[in-house]
Amino acid sequence: MNYKESAQAIYDAVGTEKNIVSLIHCMTRLRFKLRDESSVDDAAVKQIPGVVGVNHQSGQYQVIIGNDVANYYNELAKLGNFTDDNDDAEPEKTGEKVNWFSRFASFISSCMSPLIPALIGGGMIKVILILLPLLGWLSTKGQTYAILSIFGDAPFYFLPIMLAYTAAQYFKVTPMLAVTIGAIMIHPNFTAMVTAGKSVSFMGLPVTLANYSSSVIPILIMVWLMKYIEKGVEKVCPTSLKSILKPLLVIFISGTLALVVVGPLGTYAGDLLSAIILFIQGKASWLAMPLMAAFMPLIVMTGMHWAFSPIFLAASIAHPDSLILPAMLAANVAQGAASLAVMFKAKNKNTKQIAGAASISALLAGVTEPALYGVTLKYKKPLYAAMIAGGVTGLFMGIVNLKSFAFAVPSLISIPQFINKAASANFINALIVLMASFVITFVLTWLFGIDEEPEPVAATATPVAETPDDNVASGSQTTTKIYSPMAGEVINLDSVADATFAQKMLGDGVAIIPQDGKIYAPFAGTVMTVFPTKHAIGLKSDSGVELLIHCGLDTVNLKGAPFTQHVQTDQRVAQGELLMEADLEQIKQAGYDTTTPLVVTNTKDFVAVEATDKTVVTKDDVALYVI
C-alpha cells in the first residue's frame, strides 16, 4: 500500500488546506472538520486506494480506512499544518496522567527529530573538512575551506532558531514570534557584547553574558514559557489593537525573560549536565563508556540522547567528544550487525527485507530507528547481543579514551570524524571498535537466534487433533468462538445507526446494546491497541481473529472522559478478563449512542462470520462464530 500517494489523493479530494479546518483520527477513520463538506465528491474519495468508505456525521467528514489509519494520518500530517481545534486534546490538559519522563522525552524527540537532516548535512561537511586537508586536496588557509566551514557550522550556530520553530509547533506558539526570540539570543550585536566581556544591563536588570549559539536548553525553555505568555497577552489586549499590541508585548516580555532569566538558567543547566557527565567520565571512564555504549539503544528509544547535545554538538578538534559519539559508534554498528544477522538467519521473506534495509540504514547512515524498532527490539535477543557488544567495546574505548573531533552521526561513512593528525592512534582505535562491535554482535545474534513468528496459517487449514474449548474443529475448518464482551441485547450490524458499521465497511460482526459498562475479553489473546481516547480497543485471538470493540458511536469526541482503561497495548489477556469500564450514563447525557459494535476486521481471512441466535447475552455467552 502506497500511503503517501493515497494520502495526497485524499488531501486533494477534500479540498487541500484551504478547506481543512482540522484533522484527527480514531481507530479506523480520518476525521476531517471541513469548511465546506458539500464541495467534496464522495464517489471520488471512495475510489482512492485504501479508502473503505466515507461518512458525514457529527460535523465531521469521516474517511473510513480501517486499522491502517495511523499511516495515512502520518502522511497527511506532512502535507499541512493540521491541528485539533479543541485545546483539550493537548496531552497536558487531558485527565489522563502522563509520566513526566515520557513527556519530556517525547518533547525532546519531537523538537530535535525534524532537525536531523540539517545536522547530519552540516556534520558530514565537517567530516569532509577533516578528511580533505589530510589527503592534501584542500588547504585550510584557502577561501574554499573557509566557506565550506560556514556551510558546516550554519546548522549548529543557528540551532536555537531552528529549535524555536519546531518547539513552537509542539507547544502551538506563533512560530515566527518564537523564531524572533531565538534570533535575539544569537543577534550579532548581543554576541559582540558577550565577546567584549563588559557588564551589561537592560532597564536596570543584569544581563548574563552567555553565548547561545549552538545551545539547546535555553530556547526550549523559552518557547515553553511563550505558550503562557501568548495566552496572557491574548486576554489583556483590546481586540481593536491586538494585531499591533500582541506581537509587541510577546517579543518584549519574552526577549527580556530570555536574556535576563531563562537563558542564563538554561545555560547553567546545560553546563551542569555536561560537567556531571564529564566528571564521571574523568574519574571512571572505564565504567562510564561501557554503560553509555551498552544502553545507548535504550537512550535513543526515549530520545534522551538529545539531552547530551551540548556535549556532542560542540565536538571539534579543540574540544573533542570522548563519550557520546564514541558510544554511538559502537551502538550504531551493533544495530546494523544485528539486523544483518537477522536477515541471514530469518526464514520469513518479509523479515529478511525489513532487516536488510534496516542494516544498511544503521551501518551506512547511522540511522538506527528502523533496526531498533523493526528488528532488534521486536525479537529482543538481537538487542541483547547489540548491548553486550556495546558494553565490551565501550570498555576498550574507555581505556584508550577514544575521541570524536567533529559531530556526525557515527557510521561507516562518517568514520573520518575520529581522525586527528595529533592523535594518529585514535583513528585506528575507532576502526578496532567498529570491527569488534560488528563481529561480536553478528556472532552473538547468530548464536542467540531469533524467535521468528511462524508464517500465517490459512483459515481453512486442517486443525490439530486437540482444540481448545473456544476453537471447534469441523472437517477441514476451525470455528473460533467469540464471547460477548458485555452484557446486553444483541442486534445485527445493519441496524447500527452508523453507515460505516451498518454497511460492514470494516468487517462483519454484531452489536451489543449494553446493560452495564464493563467490557471483558471475548477470547484469550493479545491487546493490539487501545486508542488514546479509550473508546475503542483492538484484540487478536490466539487463532488469528482480529476484533474491534467500539464502545458507543462517535464517542471519540468525548476524549476518553467516560472510560476507565484496565489493560495496555501488547498485553496478554485471558477470556473474561476486564478490559475497560464505560460510564454509560455519562455517554448518554453527552448525547451519544452506547451501542457497541463488535467487528472482525480481518473478515476476508475467514470463510464466514456468524452471529449468535440469542437476543440477550452475558460475558459467558458466545456472540460470534468465526469459521
Side-chain angles (χ1 to χ4, degrees):
M1 185 68 68
N2 192 318
Y3 302 118
K4 185 175 181 179
E5 291 182 4
S6 291
Q8 182 68 58
I10 294 170
Y11 176 75
D12 294 336
V14 299
T16 71
E17 196 166 3
K18 296 178 181 178
N19 195 35
I20 301 172
V21 177
S22 66
L23 169 64
I24 58 174
H25 74 93
C26 61
M27 287 281 287
T28 56
R29 318 176 195 195
L30 297 167
R31 294 170 175 263
F32 291 93
K33 184 172 287 187
L34 303 177
R35 291 182 173 86
D36 181 12
E37 289 187 26
S38 63
S39 65
V40 183
D41 184 349
D42 291 351
V45 175
K46 292 177 182 178
Q47 295 302 313
I48 298 172
V51 174
V52 178
V54 299
N55 193 23
H56 298 260
Q57 195 165 343
S58 303
Q60 296 175 336
Y61 186 81
Q62 301 174 1
V63 180
I64 298 95
I65 300 292
N67 292 338
D68 231 6
V69 67
N71 292 316
Y72 292 84
Y73 177 83
N74 292 336
E75 291 299 331
L76 279 162
K78 299 175 184 178
L79 301 176
N81 184 23
F82 309 125
T83 58
D84 182 1
D85 56 352
N86 186 344
D87 287 342
D88 291 337
E90 295 180 28
E92 53 267 35
K93 289 193 174 184
T94 65
E96 183 179 352
K97 293 183 179 179
V98 181
N99 181 281
W100 279 99
F101 177 82
S102 299
R103 183 182 296 177
F104 177 71
S106 173
F107 162 55
I108 293 292
S109 295
S110 297
C111 293
M112 292 298 300
S113 295
L115 308 186
I116 289 176
L119 297 179
I120 289 177
M124 290 307 299
I125 289 176
K126 290 190 171 203
V127 171
I128 291 172
L129 287 173
I130 292 174
L131 188 59
L132 293 186
L134 287 174
L135 297 174
W137 296 350
L138 185 66
S139 171
T140 57
K141 298 180 181 179
Q143 292 180 341
T144 299
Y145 181 91
I147 292 177
L148 273 178
S149 295
I150 294 173
F151 289 3
D153 289 338
F156 303 97
Y157 183 87
F158 293 103
L159 189 59
I161 292 179
M162 295 190 292
L163 277 174
Y165 181 78
T166 57
Q169 290 184 312
Y170 184 88
F171 288 121
K172 298 182 181 178
V173 171
T174 303
M176 289 304 106
L177 292 179
V179 166
T180 299
I181 302 306
I184 289 172
M185 298 175 75
I186 61 172
H187 193 283
N189 290 351
F190 179 71
T191 303
M193 292 180 183
V194 174
T195 304
K198 298 179 181 179
S199 61
V200 176
S201 63
F202 176 60
M203 298 187 304
L205 301 172
V207 175
T208 302
L209 297 178
N211 190 342
Y212 299 114
S213 63
S214 302
S215 65
V216 172
I217 297 176
I219 191 62
L220 293 180
I221 296 175
M222 194 60 242
V223 177
W224 170 65
L225 284 177
M226 286 183 70
K227 173 180 178 180
Y228 302 99
I229 293 171
E230 277 202 7
K231 289 182 179 179
V233 170
E234 185 82 25
K235 291 179 181 179
V236 301
C237 279
T239 303
S240 59
L241 299 175
K242 188 171 293 184
S243 61
I244 298 172
L245 284 180
K246 181 181 175 181
L248 166 64
L249 292 175
V250 170
I251 291 175
F252 178 78
I253 296 171
S254 302
T256 302
L257 287 174
L259 298 184
V260 176
V261 180
V262 175
L265 287 177
T267 299
Y268 296 148
D271 291 344
L272 178 62
L273 176 62
S274 299
I276 292 172
I277 296 297
L278 295 175
F279 175 80
I280 295 173
Q281 181 197 6
K283 297 297 181 181
S285 61
W286 61 271
L287 177 62
M289 281 301 301
L291 291 175
M292 186 63 72
F295 289 101
M296 184 57 69
L298 306 184
I299 294 172
V300 170
M301 277 175 55
T302 64
M304 284 304 297
H305 57 302
W306 292 114
F308 301 109
S309 56
I311 299 174
F312 64 74
L313 290 181
S316 64
I317 297 294
H319 303 285
D321 172 25
S322 55
L323 182 62
I324 310 301
L325 294 176
M328 291 180 72
L329 171 66
N332 292 355
V333 171
Q335 289 292 317
S339 297
L340 192 64
V342 169
M343 184 189 77
F344 287 116
K345 191 84 171 175
K347 297 179 181 179
N348 187 298
K349 292 181 180 179
N350 187 51
T351 302
K352 284 180 175 291
Q353 291 176 354
I354 293 173
S359 175
I360 293 172
S361 174
L363 292 173
L364 297 185
V367 179
T368 59
E369 281 79 3
L372 184 60
Y373 295 112
V375 182
T376 60
L377 186 61
K378 179 179 180 180
Y379 296 111
K380 295 183 177 61
K381 290 179 181 178
L383 177 61
Y384 302 152
M387 293 178 70
I388 291 171
V392 172
T393 54
L395 181 60
F396 172 77
M397 289 187 287
I399 294 172
V400 301
N401 194 24
L402 185 66
K403 299 176 181 178
S404 173
F405 298 96
F407 169 75
V409 178
S411 65
L412 295 178
I413 292 177
S414 63
I415 195 67
Q417 72 192 102
F418 294 93
I419 295 177
N420 185 2
K421 286 183 178 179
S424 58
N426 193 78
F427 183 62
I428 296 174
N429 290 332
L431 291 177
I432 292 173
V433 169
L434 188 153
M435 291 185 289
S437 181
F438 183 92
V439 172
I440 293 172
T441 305
F442 190 95
V443 171
L444 288 179
T445 302
W446 192 270
L447 293 176
F448 290 169
I450 57 172
D451 298 322
E452 190 175 6
E453 296 177 356
E455 296 283 354
V457 180
T460 57
T462 302
V464 294
E466 294 184 7
T467 57
D469 291 341
D470 59 347
N471 291 293
V472 181
S474 176
S476 62
Q477 299 173 349
T478 298
T479 299
T480 299
K481 294 179 181 180
I482 298 180
Y483 291 86
S484 176
M486 309 177 80
E489 179 186 350
V490 180
I491 63 172
N492 294 327
L493 267 189
D494 52 18
S495 301
V496 175
D498 185 312
T500 302
F501 295 111
Q503 296 176 18
K504 301 182 181 180
M505 295 180 185
L506 302 176
D508 206 348
V510 294
I512 308 292
I513 300 176
Q515 294 175 351
D516 61 55
K518 292 185 177 181
I519 303 173
Y520 299 94
F523 45 60
T526 305
V527 178
M528 294 174 63
T529 183
V530 179
F531 201 73
T533 50
K534 305 175 188 175
H535 71 290
I537 185 168
L539 304 167
K540 185 173 183 178
S541 75
D542 293 337
S543 59
V545 177
E546 297 178 4
L547 185 74
L548 171 66
I549 304 174
H550 197 287
C551 187
L553 305 179
D554 283 316
T555 45
V556 63
N557 299 320
L558 296 176
K559 309 292 184 184
F563 304 101
T564 302
Q565 178 179 337
H566 293 290
V567 292
Q568 303 296 327
T569 301
D570 296 328
Q571 180 176 327
R572 176 82 185 167
V573 294
Q575 191 268 319
E577 185 174 341
L578 184 63
L579 304 176
M580 191 87 69
E581 289 183 85
D583 188 332
L584 301 182
E585 287 304 315
Q586 187 176 348
I587 295 173
K588 293 175 182 177
Q589 289 173 8
Y592 293 95
D593 190 338
T594 60
T595 300
T596 300
L598 314 179
V599 179
V600 178
T601 55
N602 60 339
T603 296
K604 62 182 183 298
D605 295 338
F606 301 98
V607 175
V609 176
E610 299 291 342
T612 179
D613 56 1
K614 294 184 178 182
T615 56
V616 178
V617 292
T618 68
K619 70 181 183 66
D620 298 319
D621 295 318
V622 176
L624 285 172
Y625 297 92
V626 180
I627 304 169

